[in-house]
Amino acid sequence: MKTVAVRNIVRADPALVERLGKAGVATVHEAQGRIGLAKSYLRPAWSPAAAAGNAVTVLAHPGDNWMLHVAVELCRRGDMLVVAVSSDNEDGMFGELLATSLSARGVVGLVIDAGCRDVAALRAMKFPVWSRAISAKGTVKASVGAVNVPVVVAGVSVTPGDVVVADDDGVVFVPRTTAAGVVAACDAREAKEAAVRERLARGELGLDVYTMRDSLARAGLVYLDSSDEG
Amino acid sequence: MKTVAVRNIVRADPALVERLGKAGVATVHEAQGRIGLAKSYLRPAWSPAAAAGNAVTVLAHPGDNWMLHVAVELCRRGDMLVVAVSSDNEDGMFGELLATSLSARGVVGLVIDAGCRDVAALRAMKFPVWSRAISAKGTVKASVGAVNVPVVVAGVSVTPGDVVVADDDGVVFVPRTTAAGVVAACDAREAKEAAVRERLARGELGLDVYTMRDSLARAGLVYLDSSDEG
Amino acid sequence: MKTVAVRNIVRADPALVERLGKAGVATVHEAQGRIGLAKSYLRPAWSPAAAAGNAVTVLAHPGDNWMLHVAVELCRRGDMLVVAVSSDNEDGMFGELLATSLSARGVVGLVIDAGCRDVAALRAMKFPVWSRAISAKGTVKASVGAVNVPVVVAGVSVTPGDVVVADDDGVVFVPRTTAAGVVAACDAREAKEAAVRERLARGELGLDVYTMRDSLARAGLVYLDSSDEG
Amino acid sequence: MKTVAVRNIVRADPALVERLGKAGVATVHEAQGRIGLAKSYLRPAWSPAAAAGNAVTVLAHPGDNWMLHVAVELCRRGDMLVVAVSSDNEDGMFGELLATSLSARGVVGLVIDAGCRDVAALRAMKFPVWSRAISAKGTVKASVGAVNVPVVVAGVSVTPGDVVVADDDGVVFVPRTTAAGVVAACDAREAKEAAVRERLARGELGLDVYTMRDSLARAGLVYLDSSDEG
Amino acid sequence: MKTVAVRNIVRADPALVERLGKAGVATVHEAQGRIGLAKSYLRPAWSPAAAAGNAVTVLAHPGDNWMLHVAVELCRRGDMLVVAVSSDNEDGMFGELLATSLSARGVVGLVIDAGCRDVAALRAMKFPVWSRAISAKGTVKASVGAVNVPVVVAGVSVTPGDVVVADDDGVVFVPRTTAAGVVAACDAREAKEAAVRERLARGELGLDVYTMRDSLARAGLVYLDSSDEG
Amino acid sequence: MKTVAVRNIVRADPALVERLGKAGVATVHEAQGRIGLAKSYLRPAWSPAAAAGNAVTVLAHPGDNWMLHVAVELCRRGDMLVVAVSSDNEDGMFGELLATSLSARGVVGLVIDAGCRDVAALRAMKFPVWSRAISAKGTVKASVGAVNVPVVVAGVSVTPGDVVVADDDGVVFVPRTTAAGVVAACDAREAKEAAVRERLARGELGLDVYTMRDSLARAGLVYLDSSDEG
């Protein structure tokens, strides 16, 4: 592993970040072609919670949160810290003090493929965290990892500066280079969904709204009455 | 797998459904002889939540929610949709649009042995969902399954028209044919528990209320003082 | 297994228990040298929740809650019940009736390496429970275990009379014999953290507050600019 | 739960059982329309292993193997014992002594949704077992369950007398009433697969053997050269 | 955590260790009253495997195997190394080189509540290992833990010098102070089981050998014929 | 997701692939700086097994193995097929027929972040497979994914043409562009390990071979005699 901390990463346009955050995880995931979604074990430490920001990435070692301190200095207003660990670990690498420090720098949230602690304080501070566990287990500061290198977080490959969108549905990552296109796709999807929602709310059936009846019949679906089943 | 959708299933008497819902999961499970309880991994997507209804069952395929759209049409006021999947899968098969559609038809909740998404919207709509995961992962509409066939959901065999009772303790299923008997057993149990609760609240011991002391001694329990332990 | 129930265990000084409860799980865990923390799968059945008490321990068998009834009688005001099971099991060994009984005796909470049920009632009663699962699964009263013997709960060895501290971060155990020293260490830690928190809140970096820059460089950390990365 | 032991269940024709065993789990699962497969956590306690028989079913309680002794008497030559538990449990309910007893009665194997022990002895005896865990954890004989009632085992609903087929790929169940049809489907499938296997072994591509190229193109698959990717 | 390495621990009599190893995990577990069994996730890295020895204990940190090197020096002929980790971790803390070193000192096996690697070499060397995972993940040597202090391994509290018995059924620990009694109980159990085995092999039923019929009837078991079930 | 199949990927030098395969997973993982290791849940379907090849990557959908057929055509002699799935899934996407087809093209093995089946046949054919599960669950051919795009497999980001090394310790990936450097590092590591192994085999201690005593003392390790512990 290259033990480096990379400064001056390129970030996404704040307007795009804001728009993706507003769309939310489910819409963004669909709009970018059903990719980039973190595994479902990343859950909000408290909820309801929602945030979006530019990813400052960390690669830490199990039981060791040294690199998080290095990363704080490289964060800017509007960033989210995104922490990967070199092997599966649930230790509480992040708590109230680091949240205080990140808040002071304008960081809007944390995604960590490990544990966090001080949940009551995080809720009180309204600092949102998505983690794989709540754990008070303390960590050492002994092994150097990396900041702002590409990492894999909860099954997704993340590049520094990518957009992170997180809410009660989980976490999705959007490559910086495709963020504008995903915003456009979100616009289209929301418009379409609004129309569908209205029809469904009136009692129309998805079978008709999406014209599925013929394809279902061709695919072999047969309707029976209960009495046919014998 | 028979790719069928069965209409006109027989449902339980609404008065029985309502009574079972009022009793709640723990009482119903006990009252029917400690059977029918779904595994504990089915959790409410938001809470507190409670619902009871007649089961309209779905057998879907992993990553494919086509059959849910078929099922909507076969639901009536007071039903609950119960979704099994042909292999373990956490994809977000259900979200705000399907909830809108089900609500429009008077369906009172969803039990799904897979994932759901749009949790914030579901909470806002007060549409209760019990699922094995929260996941925004999108699904396809490509493979035909079945509606209103017997399924196994979270370890329980469910027949269409069975009564589903769900609350913050989980999910329990009551066969339609035995629902009346279970209601009677719930009545008996609640009466008995009320009396016990009152005695315990006054400080009486379960050892005495349930007259356990003799059987414990016969089973070999010995009382020691701490100093005896060395 | 010795099928005994031990009376008259030695408890920790109530003032120490109260002070440890106030410090909370994360601080206590750090203050006693990062030991004694239960695995992260023990979660509050409802939250926010916090409690501290003297451990009355139970060793039960899977699917059998008989020993909990024995334990109630041996609890005093200010105790917490701590339940281990002889093999992994999620059955709902504890619910509203036992909580009523414990509350009547002044017991302040339950830690159980199994399941609990009646979550809505527990929340309404404000009786806090930390468990590995929510499950309505009923249990039998057939096999004798033990009360107030040393047990292993969620990976921690617990002696009767040890101090239990539990909150939204999890559960930590402090041996009775070292509780006074841990209280002193909590005092020191809280004082130190208050000073650090203030500096971090003003925008100072942990790198400087903890003077990490030299040791990071010695450990091999290299700073690059994004453009160096090619 | 009805605490009954049912005698004189109807079994499948031994010739059908033998034929299904020869086809193996994967072929039988496909031949009956991709249903009836136990979850993948059921694994052979030693391998290679294979067996097929008529299901004698048991519903036991966690940590309690009393019902297995009741079931032995109701087994006949050519049966397989199929054990469900009323909640998730890995205790070692089955070992060398029960295997000795079953072998003496001509039972050909065990499927248990719990643990087994004495693995070295089972291998030496060539008595095949499919279980969810290897565990030496001892069990009590305290609570009555049932023998030869319908059960759910590893996610599959099983009726006494159904055919069990198990090998290194896992376990599949075939309803007695449809066994003959499944045998016919196995014959057809094996014939077809033999022809395909020969073509593939010669280097023909599945794309051509199954004529998939057009449907792939229609479904949107595009071929690129690596240099197109940029 | 006390960062100590304790020399000159008291070990069990080698004759007792040998006898317990011969009895095997299942018998020892039963003979000592069904306690001391490690959770079932500890599995042999290769099998068939069996070993018994005196426990030299290690408390290591996640991703850090420094303490194993310290422990080697404190091992004697006939010992088994028993490694606990301060939080859940699967990294490959142990491989061929450490096995070479332990073998050179006469150590007979390893039990590790973490991962091991070089499985092919371990099998070739016939050095038996019980671990929670096979993982090649490398570890650092940065944080001091402890050697020969009491630890919790896979749910069991272990004191240095306790007897470890491990085979294909898992791992069980016997306190040094009770080893002689457990040996006596093993003798009794094996004698009794031999007699039972012979009767069962002849086709006698456990129902009769253990005279269970009356207690089953009293407990409510009812025999039906299949036709009664209708 | 881009539904593409990329032809003509650049592969690593076969001599490098062969050398890395010879070094094995643990050595390669260490030699490239402890990165690139797949999570430990990927296990050989039969063992002992070992293989190394150039990665042809597949991105499939849960329960759908259509893309594997597309990938076969794009494989060459010496390749390994590497299959990622768009969400967690254990279905048996791969079996004897696909193995026959891959063998006919000179493909040396499969790594699949899903299930495989026909284990007995795979062992007989000596076709090695690393998978997350053994499952006979059949799959459909309905949704288009991609071949030879970058994927994340068991937590590692893999680019087509990367080197895959797999054995009984698991699976590691080496980027094509750094393979030569990793080979050099393997040479160095093996030479150094051979010297260490010889010293350890003679009974020298790692404490001395690696000169750890001073750093351990500085880090706070204290030696005690058992009697000091009191």
Side-chain angles (χ1 to χ4, degrees):
Chain A
M1 183 190 309
K2 282 185 287 185
T3 54
V4 298
V6 178
R7 289 182 289 233
N8 305 317
I9 59 167
V10 184
R11 287 163 168 85
D13 175 348
L16 297 177
V17 175
E18 190 190 346
R19 174 67 186 93
L20 292 170
K22 226 163 155 177
V25 170
T27 295
V28 169
H29 162 67
E30 292 283 353
Q32 76 172 335
R34 296 187 180 168
I35 56 171
L37 188 72
K39 286 182 193 287
S40 67
Y41 65 72
L42 285 190
R43 295 296 306 146
W46 53 269
S47 74
N54 292 288
V56 167
T57 64
V58 175
L59 180 49
H61 296 288
D64 191 318
N65 76 344
W66 211 8
M67 281 304 104
L68 276 73
H69 291 276
V70 175
V72 173
E73 188 179 29
L74 304 182
C75 287
R76 296 195 193 153
R77 185 158 302 278
D79 285 344
M80 282 186 77
L81 200 58
V82 175
V83 182
V85 186
S86 60
S87 65
D88 284 358
N89 181 256
E90 294 197 343
D91 290 357
M93 291 194 181
F94 184 90
E96 186 197 0
L97 289 184
L98 275 164
T100 301
S101 192
L102 287 179
S103 288
R105 296 186 76 77
V107 173
V108 298
L110 170 80
V111 173
I112 184 165
D113 202 346
C116 75
R117 62 185 189 183
D118 300 333
V119 171
L122 296 176
R123 188 192 288 119
M125 297 168 67
K126 294 193 194 308
F127 189 87
V129 171
W130 287 259
S131 70
R132 72 188 298 162
I134 308 296
S135 168
K137 179 64 171 53
T139 49
V140 299
K141 291 164 185 48
S143 298
V144 175
V147 179
N148 280 331
V149 298
V151 292
V152 172
V153 173
V156 183
S157 187
V158 182
T159 297
D162 284 354
V163 182
V164 190
V165 179
D167 61 23
D168 285 359
D169 283 352
V171 180
V172 69
F173 300 95
V174 179
R176 181 181 53 78
T177 51
T178 62
V182 175
V183 161
C186 285
D187 290 342
R189 185 172 175 88
E190 289 184 350
K192 195 175 121 191
E193 286 210 338
V196 170
R197 187 182 301 111
E198 202 181 327
R199 294 176 64 184
L200 296 175
R202 281 200 306 259
E204 277 190 77
L205 290 166
L207 290 176
D208 299 314
V209 172
Y210 304 113
T211 61
M212 292 172 172
R213 294 188 191 273
D214 284 356
S215 47
L216 282 162
R218 272 195 309 273
L221 183 68
V222 174
Y223 283 85
L224 300 177
D225 282 307
S226 185
S227 53
D228 304 339
E229 275 292 86
Chain B
M1 182 188 308
K2 283 184 287 188
T3 53
V4 298
V6 179
R7 289 181 291 231
N8 305 320
I9 59 168
V10 184
R11 288 163 168 86
D13 174 346
L16 296 178
V17 174
E18 189 190 348
R19 174 67 187 93
L20 291 170
K22 224 163 157 179
V25 171
T27 295
V28 169
H29 162 66
E30 291 283 353
Q32 78 173 333
R34 297 187 180 167
I35 57 169
L37 188 72
K39 287 182 192 287
S40 66
Y41 65 72
L42 285 190
R43 296 298 303 148
W46 54 268
S47 73
N54 292 289
V56 168
T57 65
V58 176
L59 180 49
H61 296 289
D64 191 318
N65 76 344
W66 210 7
M67 281 303 105
L68 275 74
H69 291 276
V70 175
V72 173
E73 187 180 29
L74 305 182
C75 287
R76 296 197 192 150
R77 186 157 302 277
D79 285 343
M80 282 185 78
L81 200 59
V82 176
V83 181
V85 187
S86 61
S87 64
D88 284 357
N89 181 256
E90 295 197 343
D91 290 356
M93 291 192 181
F94 183 90
E96 186 197 1
L97 289 183
L98 275 163
T100 300
S101 191
L102 288 178
S103 289
R105 297 186 76 78
V107 173
V108 298
L110 170 80
V111 172
I112 184 165
D113 203 347
C116 75
R117 62 185 189 182
D118 300 331
V119 172
L122 297 174
R123 187 192 288 119
M125 298 168 67
K126 295 193 193 305
F127 188 88
V129 172
W130 287 260
S131 69
R132 71 187 299 163
I134 309 296
S135 168
K137 179 63 171 52
T139 50
V140 298
K141 291 164 185 46
S143 298
V144 174
V147 178
N148 280 331
V149 297
V151 293
V152 173
V153 174
V156 183
S157 187
V158 182
T159 296
D162 284 354
V163 183
V164 190
V165 179
D167 61 23
D168 286 359
D169 283 352
V171 180
V172 70
F173 300 95
V174 179
R176 181 181 55 79
T177 50
T178 62
V182 176
V183 161
C186 285
D187 290 342
R189 185 172 175 86
E190 290 184 349
K192 193 174 121 192
E193 286 211 340
V196 170
R197 187 182 300 110
E198 201 180 330
R199 292 177 64 183
L200 296 175
R202 280 198 307 259
E204 276 191 78
L205 290 165
L207 290 176
D208 299 315
V209 172
Y210 303 113
T211 60
M212 293 172 173
R213 292 187 192 273
D214 284 356
S215 46
L216 280 163
R218 271 196 309 273
L221 182 68
V222 174
Y223 282 86
L224 299 178
D225 282 306
S226 185
S227 53
D228 304 339
E229 274 291 89
Chain C
M1 181 191 309
K2 284 184 286 188
T3 54
V4 299
V6 178
R7 288 182 290 233
N8 305 319
I9 58 167
V10 185
R11 287 161 169 87
D13 174 347
L16 296 178
V17 174
E18 189 190 348
R19 174 66 186 91
L20 291 170
K22 224 162 157 178
V25 171
T27 294
V28 169
H29 162 67
E30 291 283 352
Q32 78 173 334
R34 296 187 179 166
I35 57 171
L37 187 73
K39 287 183 193 286
S40 66
Y41 64 72
L42 285 190
R43 296 298 304 147
W46 54 268
S47 74
N54 292 289
V56 168
T57 65
V58 175
L59 181 48
H61 295 289
D64 190 318
N65 76 346
W66 210 8
M67 280 304 106
L68 276 73
H69 291 275
V70 175
V72 172
E73 187 179 29
L74 304 182
C75 287
R76 297 194 192 153
R77 186 157 301 277
D79 285 344
M80 281 186 78
L81 200 58
V82 176
V83 182
V85 186
S86 61
S87 65
D88 284 357
N89 181 257
E90 295 197 343
D91 290 356
M93 292 193 181
F94 184 90
E96 187 197 0
L97 289 182
L98 275 164
T100 300
S101 192
L102 288 179
S103 289
R105 297 186 76 76
V107 174
V108 297
L110 170 80
V111 172
I112 184 165
D113 203 347
C116 74
R117 62 186 189 182
D118 300 332
V119 171
L122 297 175
R123 187 192 289 120
M125 297 168 68
K126 295 193 193 305
F127 188 87
V129 172
W130 288 259
S131 70
R132 71 187 300 162
I134 308 297
S135 169
K137 179 62 172 54
T139 49
V140 298
K141 290 165 186 46
S143 298
V144 175
V147 178
N148 280 330
V149 297
V151 292
V152 173
V153 173
V156 183
S157 187
V158 182
T159 297
D162 284 354
V163 183
V164 189
V165 180
D167 61 23
D168 286 359
D169 283 351
V171 180
V172 69
F173 300 96
V174 178
R176 182 181 54 78
T177 50
T178 62
V182 175
V183 161
C186 285
D187 290 341
R189 185 173 175 86
E190 289 184 349
K192 194 174 120 193
E193 285 211 339
V196 170
R197 188 183 299 110
E198 201 180 328
R199 292 177 66 183
L200 296 175
R202 281 198 306 260
E204 276 191 79
L205 289 166
L207 290 176
D208 299 316
V209 171
Y210 304 113
T211 61
M212 292 171 171
R213 292 188 191 272
D214 285 356
S215 46
L216 282 162
R218 272 197 309 273
L221 182 69
V222 175
Y223 283 85
L224 299 177
D225 281 307
S226 185
S227 52
D228 304 338
E229 276 291 87
Chain D
M1 183 188 311
K2 281 184 288 187
T3 54
V4 297
V6 179
R7 289 181 290 231
N8 305 319
I9 60 168
V10 184
R11 288 163 169 86
D13 174 346
L16 296 178
V17 175
E18 190 190 348
R19 175 65 187 95
L20 291 171
K22 225 162 157 179
V25 172
T27 294
V28 168
H29 163 66
E30 291 283 353
Q32 78 174 333
R34 298 188 178 165
I35 57 171
L37 188 72
K39 287 183 191 288
S40 66
Y41 65 71
L42 285 191
R43 297 298 303 148
W46 54 269
S47 74
N54 292 290
V56 168
T57 65
V58 175
L59 180 49
H61 296 289
D64 190 318
N65 76 345
W66 210 8
M67 280 305 105
L68 276 73
H69 291 275
V70 175
V72 172
E73 187 179 31
L74 304 182
C75 287
R76 296 194 193 155
R77 186 157 303 276
D79 285 344
M80 282 185 78
L81 200 60
V82 175
V83 181
V85 186
S86 61
S87 65
D88 284 357
N89 181 257
E90 295 197 344
D91 289 356
M93 291 193 182
F94 183 90
E96 186 196 0
L97 289 182
L98 275 164
T100 300
S101 190
L102 287 179
S103 287
R105 297 186 76 78
V107 174
V108 298
L110 170 81
V111 172
I112 183 164
D113 203 347
C116 75
R117 62 186 188 180
D118 301 332
V119 172
L122 297 175
R123 187 193 288 118
M125 298 168 67
K126 295 193 193 305
F127 188 87
V129 172
W130 287 260
S131 70
R132 71 187 300 162
I134 308 296
S135 169
K137 179 63 170 53
T139 49
V140 299
K141 291 166 185 48
S143 298
V144 174
V147 178
N148 280 331
V149 298
V151 292
V152 172
V153 174
V156 183
S157 187
V158 182
T159 296
D162 285 352
V163 183
V164 191
V165 180
D167 61 23
D168 286 359
D169 283 351
V171 180
V172 69
F173 301 95
V174 179
R176 182 181 54 78
T177 50
T178 62
V182 176
V183 161
C186 286
D187 290 342
R189 184 171 176 87
E190 289 184 350
K192 194 175 121 192
E193 285 210 340
V196 169
R197 188 182 300 112
E198 201 181 329
R199 292 177 65 183
L200 296 175
R202 281 199 307 259
E204 277 191 78
L205 290 165
L207 290 176
D208 299 315
V209 171
Y210 303 113
T211 59
M212 292 172 172
R213 293 187 192 272
D214 284 356
S215 47
L216 282 163
R218 272 197 308 272
L221 183 67
V222 175
Y223 282 85
L224 299 177
D225 282 306
S226 184
S227 52
D228 303 340
E229 275 291 87
Chain E
M1 184 190 306
K2 282 184 287 185
T3 54
V4 298
V6 178
R7 289 182 290 232
N8 305 319
I9 59 168
V10 184
R11 288 163 168 87
D13 175 348
L16 297 178
V17 175
E18 190 189 346
R19 175 66 186 93
L20 292 170
K22 227 163 154 177
V25 171
T27 295
V28 168
H29 163 67
E30 291 283 353
Q32 78 173 333
R34 296 188 180 167
I35 57 170
L37 188 72
K39 286 182 193 287
S40 66
Y41 65 71
L42 285 190
R43 295 298 304 146
W46 54 268
S47 74
N54 292 289
V56 168
T57 65
V58 175
L59 180 49
H61 296 289
D64 191 317
N65 76 343
W66 211 7
M67 281 305 103
L68 276 74
H69 291 275
V70 175
V72 173
E73 188 179 30
L74 304 183
C75 286
R76 296 192 192 157
R77 186 158 300 279
D79 284 344
M80 282 187 77
L81 200 58
V82 175
V83 182
V85 186
S86 60
S87 65
D88 284 358
N89 180 256
E90 295 198 343
D91 290 355
M93 291 193 180
F94 184 90
E96 186 197 0
L97 290 183
L98 275 164
T100 301
S101 191
L102 287 179
S103 288
R105 297 187 75 79
V107 173
V108 298
L110 171 80
V111 172
I112 184 164
D113 203 346
C116 75
R117 62 186 188 181
D118 300 333
V119 171
L122 297 175
R123 187 192 288 118
M125 297 169 66
K126 295 193 191 305
F127 188 87
V129 172
W130 288 260
S131 70
R132 72 188 297 161
I134 308 295
S135 168
K137 178 64 169 53
T139 49
V140 298
K141 291 164 184 49
S143 298
V144 174
V147 179
N148 280 330
V149 297
V151 292
V152 172
V153 173
V156 183
S157 187
V158 182
T159 297
D162 284 354
V163 183
V164 190
V165 179
D167 60 23
D168 286 358
D169 283 352
V171 180
V172 70
F173 300 96
V174 178
R176 182 180 55 77
T177 49
T178 62
V182 176
V183 161
C186 285
D187 290 342
R189 186 172 175 86
E190 290 184 350
K192 194 175 120 192
E193 286 210 340
V196 170
R197 187 182 301 110
E198 203 181 328
R199 293 176 64 184
L200 296 175
R202 280 199 306 259
E204 277 192 76
L205 289 166
L207 290 176
D208 299 314
V209 171
Y210 305 113
T211 58
M212 292 171 171
R213 293 187 192 272
D214 284 357
S215 45
L216 281 162
R218 272 197 307 273
L221 183 69
V222 174
Y223 283 85
L224 299 177
D225 282 305
S226 185
S227 51
D228 304 340
E229 276 291 87
Chain F
M1 183 188 310
K2 284 184 287 188
T3 53
V4 298
V6 179
R7 289 182 289 233
N8 305 317
I9 59 166
V10 184
R11 287 161 170 89
D13 175 347
L16 296 178
V17 174
E18 189 191 347
R19 175 66 186 91
L20 291 170
K22 227 162 154 179
V25 171
T27 295
V28 168
H29 163 66
E30 291 283 354
Q32 77 172 336
R34 296 187 179 169
I35 57 170
L37 187 74
K39 287 183 193 288
S40 66
Y41 64 72
L42 286 190
R43 296 297 304 148
W46 54 269
S47 75
N54 292 288
V56 167
T57 65
V58 175
L59 181 48
H61 295 289
D64 190 317
N65 76 345
W66 210 8
M67 281 303 105
L68 276 73
H69 291 275
V70 175
V72 173
E73 187 179 30
L74 303 182
C75 287
R76 296 192 192 155
R77 185 157 301 277
D79 285 343
M80 283 186 77
L81 200 59
V82 175
V83 182
V85 186
S86 61
S87 66
D88 285 357
N89 180 256
E90 295 199 341
D91 290 356
M93 291 193 182
F94 184 90
E96 186 197 1
L97 289 183
L98 275 164
T100 301
S101 192
L102 287 179
S103 288
R105 298 187 75 78
V107 173
V108 298
L110 171 81
V111 173
I112 184 165
D113 203 346
C116 75
R117 62 186 188 181
D118 300 332
V119 171
L122 296 175
R123 187 193 289 119
M125 298 169 66
K126 295 192 192 307
F127 188 87
V129 171
W130 287 260
S131 71
R132 73 187 299 162
I134 308 296
S135 168
K137 179 63 171 53
T139 50
V140 298
K141 289 164 186 47
S143 298
V144 174
V147 178
N148 281 331
V149 298
V151 292
V152 172
V153 174
V156 183
S157 187
V158 182
T159 297
D162 284 353
V163 183
V164 190
V165 179
D167 61 22
D168 286 358
D169 283 351
V171 180
V172 69
F173 300 95
V174 180
R176 181 181 53 79
T177 50
T178 62
V182 176
V183 161
C186 285
D187 289 342
R189 186 173 174 87
E190 289 185 349
K192 194 174 122 193
E193 285 210 339
V196 170
R197 187 183 300 112
E198 202 180 327
R199 292 178 65 183
L200 296 174
R202 280 200 306 259
E204 278 192 75
L205 290 166
L207 289 176
D208 299 315
V209 171
Y210 303 113
T211 61
M212 291 171 172
R213 294 188 190 271
D214 284 357
S215 47
L216 281 162
R218 272 196 309 272
L221 182 69
V222 174
Y223 282 86
L224 300 176
D225 282 306
S226 185
S227 52
D228 304 339
E229 276 292 86

